Amino acid sequence: MSQPLRLGIAGLGTVGTGVVKIVRQKAALLEARSGRPIAISAVSARTRAKDRGVSLDSYAWEDDPVALATRDDVDVFVELMGGSDGPAKAAVEAALKAGKDVVTANKALLAHHGQALAELAEASGSVLRFEAAVAGGIPVIKALTEGLAGNEIIRVMGVMNGTCNYILTRMEDGGLTYDEAFAEADALGYLEADPTLDVGGIDAGHKLSLLAAIAFGTQVSFSGVELEGIGEVTIDDIRQAADMGFRIKLLGVSRMTGRGLEQSMAPCLVPASSPLGQLSGGTNMVVIEGDQVGQIVMRGAGAGEGPTASAVMGDVMDVARGLRVSTFGQSASKLVPAVAAKATTPAPYYLRTQLADKPGALAKVAAALGEAGVSIHRMRQYDHIEDRAPVLIVTHKTTRAALDQALEAMQKLAVVVAAPVALRIEEV
Amino acid sequence: MSQPLRLGIAGLGTVGTGVVKIVRQKAALLEARSGRPIAISAVSARTRAKDRGVSLDSYAWEDDPVALATRDDVDVFVELMGGSDGPAKAAVEAALKAGKDVVTANKALLAHHGQALAELAEASGSVLRFEAAVAGGIPVIKALTEGLAGNEIIRVMGVMNGTCNYILTRMEDGGLTYDEAFAEADALGYLEADPTLDVGGIDAGHKLSLLAAIAFGTQVSFSGVELEGIGEVTIDDIRQAADMGFRIKLLGVSRMTGRGLEQSMAPCLVPASSPLGQLSGGTNMVVIEGDQVGQIVMRGAGAGEGPTASAVMGDVMDVARGLRVSTFGQSASKLVPAVAAKATTPAPYYLRTQLADKPGALAKVAAALGEAGVSIHRMRQYDHIEDRAPVLIVTHKTTRAALDQALEAMQKLAVVVAAPVALRIEEV
């Protein structure tokens, strides 16, 4: 019989418990598939006493995750604690330095320290894997790194925060305001302790930065992600977008341009009939476009015990089978620093503002757009409400720079009585 | 510098030429990602003289694919000739016996000889990979075998013949008859030389049998696939299905039941709002359901030079990186013979027939269904056309055996003047 692969699991929340359950309940299946038994040597968590619905008696206990990570009887350190720094980082570093392989679900850790950790893994001959960090159960890291390795990647897109998609879906389907939908998501326990991680786009931005590093061969650059949350999206935007055949999603988009790496995580309009537009509720979707393969769409649960544990176990099984791929798909030493480019790829935009009830108001706005080189595709002015007329504009393709110039000019107009909101229309 | 991985490519049609182009044009990218150069030592095809738009001068030429497969300067034999027997089989066998790794796009070969070839590969310590054989560019073999390896698979479904989906889409969108849509697909060159491979479900059935072997740990069993082509689907069926919120797809479904392995490739009704229902034209989709991950949907181009070459290169890159997984995800010796179970999982069905213009006709049909234990969910009788009234029935969930009994009884009724057509409604 082959040697068992011995896991040390740090963090026994929902996902950690899910992993323990799979290892216990599917031992025969896992061994048949990987060719060797998968065993757990030791575990670690903040509280030992808690009832997790699964027996931990046969595993050694470590209070200190660093001690766990470096145990002689641990081959793979499974990090499910979370947090970009602190114990998670210390333990992953310790594990890699000790030559252990590491499997983690920690997007924040990798978004902030991915390059350093990849270098550390490479220096030790360890593998560092993170399928569960991006889009939950969808095996997208594997698809991008391995399955599509013959492609030059053109664009990567994703709806990767189920909570935001839930809020936007509830606003659309249930006619709720943002605040109402937010409160509902909160009551259902969907929000992170710090909700700006979700609704500010930070969590999804972490994930996008990891995909971009693999796709474009750059060092992970979370600071290069242009972040915009969903807090400014109104129910009127959602309705107007729907009228025009679009839906609003918190969409991550990354592409490599002549001026550098574009990474943006922002509310965008996508065609209602596209796979991204049809996505509802908490489901995640990642779209990968390669020069050979065209468009690949992957859809599945982005969170939860089973889906996330499935992704962790996919990585564990790869290690058990002896698959060893560089963290971001190529040697860490070959990843180039990302030059952040603010979205320069021209796109159509959706603009919303309010005009004072004065003659020529609309003409002034149209002139401001025209002077910035932004041409108007569609424009609608609605009935005045208390001397203010809502105005919607869909532009033809324009650069963000030209748009920003137009927005600046618009804000200086006395007739523009509400700060204009601009959302990109992503062609998918 | 690492040793190059040396390919021998047999078959220089669309896909083979696509692979040659990628190897030539993306040398630096492939080397960065795999850590070693990817080279072509020799090629083989039926005709040497043909202009393929890419220079083959730097590669040795072999008229005989077996000779190519066993060359000393070939590490990986890339089989892109096609055909379940003949030269493709001989060459793949020769390559595996010689200890070469094999990458193939040949679904027919694997559907018919997958078990023997997997055993041969295992005996030689070779890997045999076939991502391009199923659903073109979608990295579904990898997702199922590796990414979801921690899951017990519940069900695998797929729309995996773009030509059939094109025909059905054109019937629906363009109002064409089956014959008209078939002729259009033919004129566009979408059909195989033997069109029953497409419209008879054989090609898609080959693919389903490969997915089922991986998903359920069984020996590939193409003979166990219940096959039903799309030739009996009428435009009326498509319209009626649409009226009821469904679309008709040539859908492969496989699941393991207490009575054995169910594999069916047949026209089915799926909810129009589901990802499968929303699929149009030549695009493929595979849906994998795991006990942990829930439902994973993958969508992409199912054919064509770029997508298929992308899948071939994904396999080549895995070999270059040293990833070695058993052909069907576990040791060939552990795959169990599949016990074919005719669809026993209860499902609702859509029935269409025509009744003679006689009193009590509908009651007799309802009675025949009731006696077989099939209960009716919805029933519609339409205006008579030349003494015949079209009748549509949607049943509640029933077994195929009960349904067959009902169909047999219906056919014996004098009032039933057209052989009833039954299509399963797959709940997705």
Side-chain angles (χ1 to χ4, degrees):
Chain A
M1 196 175 82
S2 300
Q3 288 295 312
L5 184 78
R6 300 164 304 172
L7 313 182
I9 303 176
L12 293 169
T14 311
V15 179
T17 307
V19 170
V20 173
K21 284 185 200 161
I22 295 176
V23 171
R24 292 175 75 90
Q25 293 163 7
K26 296 188 195 297
L29 185 71
L30 300 177
E31 181 173 350
R33 288 181 178 161
S34 71
R36 58 195 289 201
I38 311 289
I40 297 172
S41 295
V43 296
S44 169
R46 256 175 287 185
T47 318
R48 186 170 187 176
K50 190 174 156 192
D51 178 11
R52 296 178 172 89
V54 59
S55 168
L56 304 171
D57 293 348
S58 50
Y59 317 132
W61 180 273
E62 295 279 1
D63 286 319
D64 176 7
V66 172
L68 177 76
T70 51
R71 283 175 66 102
D72 284 344
D73 61 359
V74 165
D75 302 311
V76 183
F77 177 58
V78 181
E79 188 278 298
L80 303 171
M81 296 179 283
S84 63
D85 293 274
K89 177 163 177 268
V92 167
E93 285 173 348
L96 293 174
K97 280 181 189 153
K100 314 289 187 188
D101 294 324
V102 172
V103 172
T104 178
N106 192 331
K107 60 222 77 162
L109 174 69
L110 282 159
H112 287 285
H113 308 292
Q115 179 63 23
L117 293 173
E119 288 172 11
L120 194 52
E122 197 157 305
S124 310
S126 300
V127 294
L128 168 57
R129 302 189 60 96
F130 56 93
E131 184 66 80
V134 180
I138 307 175
V140 61
I141 298 293
K142 180 167 277 285
L144 185 59
T145 314
E146 302 169 28
L148 304 178
N151 287 262
E152 207 163 310
I153 302 300
I154 307 299
R155 178 170 63 160
V156 177
M157 296 185 287
V159 171
M160 296 181 288
N161 184 282
T163 305
C164 287
N165 206 41
Y166 177 83
I167 290 173
L168 293 171
T169 300
R170 287 294 291 146
M171 290 173 72
E172 179 164 2
D173 297 350
L176 307 186
T177 65
Y178 173 78
D179 289 337
E180 289 165 347
F182 181 94
E184 190 176 287
D186 198 15
L188 289 165
Y190 288 0
L191 286 162
E192 302 264 357
D194 173 4
T196 58
L197 287 175
D198 287 314
V199 298
I202 297 169
D203 165 80
H206 285 155
K207 297 168 185 169
L208 183 70
S209 72
L210 302 179
L211 292 175
I214 300 167
F216 305 110
T218 51
Q219 297 179 6
V220 188
S221 171
F222 172 63
S223 64
V225 180
E226 289 187 82
L227 282 179
E228 193 183 320
I230 61 169
E232 300 294 311
V233 176
T234 67
I235 189 161
D236 286 337
D237 291 327
I238 288 176
R239 286 182 183 145
Q240 300 303 343
D243 272 359
M244 295 187 290
F246 294 102
R247 291 184 76 193
I248 298 180
K249 300 287 168 193
L250 178 66
L251 184 69
V253 180
S254 179
R255 51 159 78 78
M256 184 58 80
T257 70
R259 298 172 64 172
L261 179 64
E262 284 182 19
Q263 301 179 86
S264 104
M265 180 58 68
C268 290
L269 278 66
V270 295
S273 61
S274 65
L276 282 165
Q278 289 161 352
L279 196 66
S280 287
T283 311
N284 279 18
M285 183 174 281
V286 179
V287 179
I288 305 171
E289 291 171 351
D291 65 341
Q292 301 297 319
V293 80
Q295 190 180 75
I296 295 288
V297 178
M298 302 178 79
R299 170 190 159 124
E305 175 181 321
T308 314
S310 166
V312 170
M313 287 308 302
D315 283 345
V316 167
M317 292 292 281
D318 275 1
V319 173
R321 283 167 160 165
L323 311 190
R324 304 188 77 76
V325 176
S326 301
T327 311
F328 295 104
Q330 55 185 290
S331 167
S333 64
K334 296 222 170 126
L335 297 165
V336 298
V339 177
K342 187 163 177 173
T344 51
T345 307
Y349 282 83
Y350 160 100
L351 298 183
R352 164 174 57 86
T353 188
Q354 295 186 345
L355 299 185
D357 184 12
K358 296 203 174 133
L362 205 55
K364 284 181 185 160
V365 169
L369 287 164
E371 275 161 30
V374 177
S375 78
I376 296 170
H377 176 51
R378 287 193 270 179
M379 191 171 206
R380 292 184 189 174
Q381 182 173 332
Y382 294 84
D383 271 353
H384 290 80
I385 303 166
E386 297 174 3
D387 276 7
R388 292 166 163 231
V391 170
L392 294 182
I393 297 165
V394 173
T395 75
H396 282 291
K397 273 192 187 181
T398 179
T399 62
R400 180 78 211 194
L403 186 83
D404 285 345
Q405 195 187 323
L407 292 174
E408 206 182 316
M410 278 171 69
Q411 301 215 51
K412 289 181 185 154
L413 296 172
V415 294
V416 172
V417 291
V421 169
L423 299 176
R424 199 173 71 246
I425 300 175
E426 188 71 25
E427 301 189 315
V428 297
Chain B
M1 195 174 82
S2 300
Q3 289 295 314
L5 183 78
R6 301 163 303 172
L7 313 182
I9 302 175
L12 292 170
T14 310
V15 179
T17 307
V19 171
V20 172
K21 282 184 201 163
I22 295 176
V23 172
R24 292 175 74 91
Q25 292 163 8
K26 295 188 194 301
L29 185 71
L30 300 177
E31 182 172 350
R33 288 181 178 161
S34 72
R36 57 196 289 200
I38 311 289
I40 296 171
S41 295
V43 295
S44 169
R46 256 175 287 186
T47 318
R48 185 169 187 175
K50 191 173 156 192
D51 178 11
R52 296 177 172 88
V54 58
S55 168
L56 303 173
D57 293 347
S58 48
Y59 316 133
W61 180 272
E62 294 279 0
D63 286 319
D64 176 9
V66 172
L68 176 76
T70 53
R71 283 174 66 102
D72 285 343
D73 61 358
V74 165
D75 302 311
V76 183
F77 176 58
V78 181
E79 188 277 299
L80 303 170
M81 294 179 284
S84 63
D85 292 275
K89 177 163 177 270
V92 167
E93 285 173 348
L96 293 175
K97 280 181 190 155
K100 313 291 189 188
D101 295 325
V102 171
V103 172
T104 177
N106 192 331
K107 59 222 77 163
L109 174 68
L110 283 160
H112 287 286
H113 307 292
Q115 180 62 25
L117 293 173
E119 289 172 9
L120 193 53
E122 198 157 303
S124 310
S126 300
V127 293
L128 168 58
R129 301 189 60 97
F130 56 94
E131 185 66 81
V134 179
I138 307 175
V140 62
I141 298 293
K142 180 168 276 286
L144 185 59
T145 315
E146 302 169 28
L148 304 178
N151 285 263
E152 208 164 308
I153 302 299
I154 307 299
R155 180 170 62 162
V156 177
M157 296 185 286
V159 171
M160 297 182 287
N161 184 281
T163 305
C164 287
N165 206 41
Y166 177 83
I167 290 173
L168 293 171
T169 301
R170 287 294 291 144
M171 288 173 72
E172 180 165 359
D173 297 350
L176 306 187
T177 65
Y178 173 79
D179 289 338
E180 288 166 349
F182 180 94
E184 189 176 286
D186 197 17
L188 289 164
Y190 288 179
L191 286 161
E192 301 266 355
D194 173 4
T196 59
L197 286 175
D198 287 315
V199 297
I202 297 169
D203 165 81
H206 286 155
K207 296 168 184 168
L208 183 69
S209 72
L210 301 179
L211 292 176
I214 301 167
F216 304 110
T218 51
Q219 298 179 6
V220 188
S221 171
F222 173 62
S223 64
V225 181
E226 289 187 83
L227 282 179
E228 192 183 320
I230 61 169
E232 299 294 310
V233 177
T234 67
I235 189 161
D236 286 337
D237 292 326
I238 288 175
R239 285 181 183 146
Q240 300 304 343
D243 271 1
M244 296 185 289
F246 294 102
R247 291 184 75 193
I248 298 179
K249 299 288 168 193
L250 177 66
L251 184 69
V253 180
S254 180
R255 52 159 79 76
M256 183 60 78
T257 71
R259 298 171 63 171
L261 179 65
E262 283 181 20
Q263 300 180 87
S264 103
M265 180 58 67
C268 289
L269 277 67
V270 295
S273 61
S274 65
L276 282 166
Q278 288 162 351
L279 196 67
S280 287
T283 311
N284 280 18
M285 182 174 283
V286 179
V287 179
I288 304 171
E289 290 170 353
D291 66 340
Q292 301 298 318
V293 80
Q295 189 180 76
I296 295 288
V297 178
M298 302 179 78
R299 171 191 157 123
E305 175 180 320
T308 314
S310 166
V312 169
M313 287 308 300
D315 283 343
V316 166
M317 291 293 279
D318 275 1
V319 173
R321 282 165 161 166
L323 311 191
R324 305 187 78 76
V325 177
S326 301
T327 311
F328 295 104
Q330 53 185 290
S331 166
S333 64
K334 297 222 169 124
L335 298 166
V336 298
V339 177
K342 187 162 177 176
T344 51
T345 306
Y349 283 82
Y350 161 99
L351 299 183
R352 164 175 55 87
T353 188
Q354 294 185 344
L355 299 186
D357 184 10
K358 297 205 175 131
L362 204 54
K364 285 181 185 162
V365 168
L369 288 164
E371 276 160 32
V374 176
S375 77
I376 295 170
H377 177 50
R378 285 193 271 178
M379 190 172 208
R380 291 185 190 175
Q381 181 175 331
Y382 294 84
D383 272 353
H384 290 80
I385 303 165
E386 296 174 5
D387 275 4
R388 294 167 162 230
V391 169
L392 293 182
I393 297 165
V394 173
T395 75
H396 282 291
K397 272 193 189 180
T398 181
T399 61
R400 180 76 211 195
L403 186 82
D404 285 344
Q405 196 187 323
L407 292 174
E408 206 182 316
M410 278 171 68
Q411 301 216 49
K412 287 181 186 155
L413 296 173
V415 296
V416 172
V417 292
V421 169
L423 299 176
R424 198 174 71 248
I425 301 177
E426 187 73 23
E427 301 189 313
V428 298

